[in-house]
Amino acid sequence: IIQSGIEMNVKLASCLIQSFCKVQAISDAIGVLEILDKQFNIKPDQTMFSCLLTGCAETKSLDEGIKIHKRIIKEKIKIDQILANTLINMYSKCGQIDEAIKVLKFMDENYISKDQTTYVCLLTGCASSSAIQYGKIIHERIIKENIKMDVIVSNALMNMYCKCGSLELCQKTFDESVEKNVSSWTTLINAHATHGSIKYTLVLFDQMKKQNFKPDQSTYTSILNACSHTGMVDEANKIFNEMDQNETNFIHYNCIIDVLARAGRLDDAEKKIIEMIDKSKINQNLKPNIGIWMTLLSACRNFSDVERAERLSKSAIETDPQHSPI
């Protein structure tokens, strides 16, 4: 663009930065700023900095994000609600919840209004950092400030309590939520599964379907993982078979093969691997990896099925000679 002689301006520069950030080329996006400074003497605005911070959040480029924050302060760019939210989002996704809270305090001190995005970003940071003490404070502020408790906010609260190990508060938030969606149910199912209450997890799964919420890939991942870790073979097999087979992914197959292999149902586990190999001809993401092969080979050893182990070893080499388990 520069070599073609097109005149550079703020709008065009913003588009370039957005384009680079969308493909997570954060260094190239930052390079646009340098070109603006050195060649065109154009000063970046709030929109450019917001785009850059979003790019840093998605790529977890904390060092670059900190530099951008310092530059915003140095150049006295006005921090409004949008820019403050992107700062909070960047620090939260980079695992720096303390810094995100500092931005929230800055908003308080400078009378910058908070919205749902502000608190959802903070709750996401609390979840990834297991910072339940901050999470509870944010929950209180949401109520106190009359922030609309829609499904996005309530799901963020549920996810935070789940990741922080508070099954009780996760369940309480779910029960009090006026609006629920598939993600709400999946989060609750995952919370109970994580805490080992597998029977109630299956009850929730049935309730979800009875209330006409269609389980998605994440729901099936949570429920199959729970069955795998607790050895509930028949339940796992039933759930896997009721899935739309066009939507089954690598993780789903990994779970069902694991639970079948652990239970000694080697014929069934082997059939699932054959299914994966067949489907991988269309979708390479379903190709069995070394972990899948080792799961079944270990089961062959545990159940003294030498003949099957030899046959599977040959199949593994033929399927993926570079990464075979032998």
Side-chain angles (χ1 to χ4, degrees), residues 2 30 35 37 66 75 89 99 105 231 253 278 309:
I2 294 169
I30 291 171
I35 291 172
D37 275 346
I66 291 172
E75 297 188 10
N89 183 50
E99 295 302 316
K105 290 179 179 177
Y253 271 103
D278 289 341

Side-chain angles (χ1 to χ4, degrees), residues 36-67:
L36 289 177
D37 275 346
K38 294 176 181 178
Q39 295 188 31
F40 299 97
N41 196 29
I42 296 174
K43 296 297 179 184
D45 61 6
Q46 292 167 314
T47 302
M48 290 185 201
F49 283 124
S50 290
C51 291
L52 284 167
L53 288 167
T54 300
C56 291
E58 296 305 315
T59 56
K60 292 182 170 54
S61 304
L62 177 61
D63 290 342
E64 298 298 341
I66 291 172
K67 288 177 186 176

Side-chain angles (χ1 to χ4, degrees), residues 158 162 166-168 170-172 174-175 185-202 204 222-223 226 230:
M158 285 178 61
C162 173
S166 181
L167 177 60
E168 181 183 353
C170 180
Q171 179 72 59
K172 186 173 184 290
F174 178 85
D175 293 338
W185 283 95
T186 300
T187 301
L188 187 65
I189 285 169
N190 188 49
H192 281 278
T194 302
H195 285 79
S197 48
I198 180 60
K199 289 186 178 179
Y200 188 60
T201 299
L202 293 170
L204 287 171
S222 294
I223 200 77
T230 53

Side-chain angles (χ1 to χ4, degrees), residues 35 37 41 59 66 75 88 107 117 152 166 174 190 197 200 206 211 214 216 232 272 280 304 320:
I35 291 172
D37 275 346
N41 196 29
T59 56
I66 291 172
E75 297 188 10
I88 287 173
M107 294 177 78
T117 301
I152 296 172
S166 181
F174 178 85
N190 188 49
S197 48
Y200 188 60
D206 285 336
Q211 293 189 30
K214 184 182 177 182
D216 61 11
M232 301 185 77
K272 295 302 180 189
S280 69
S304 303
D320 191 357

Side-chain angles (χ1 to χ4, degrees), residues 108-126:
D108 289 338
E109 292 164 0
N110 291 274
Y111 304 101
I112 301 170
S113 62
K114 276 73 66 180
D115 62 1
Q116 291 166 309
T117 301
T118 311
Y119 289 117
V120 168
C121 289
L122 283 164
L123 289 168
T124 301
C126 292

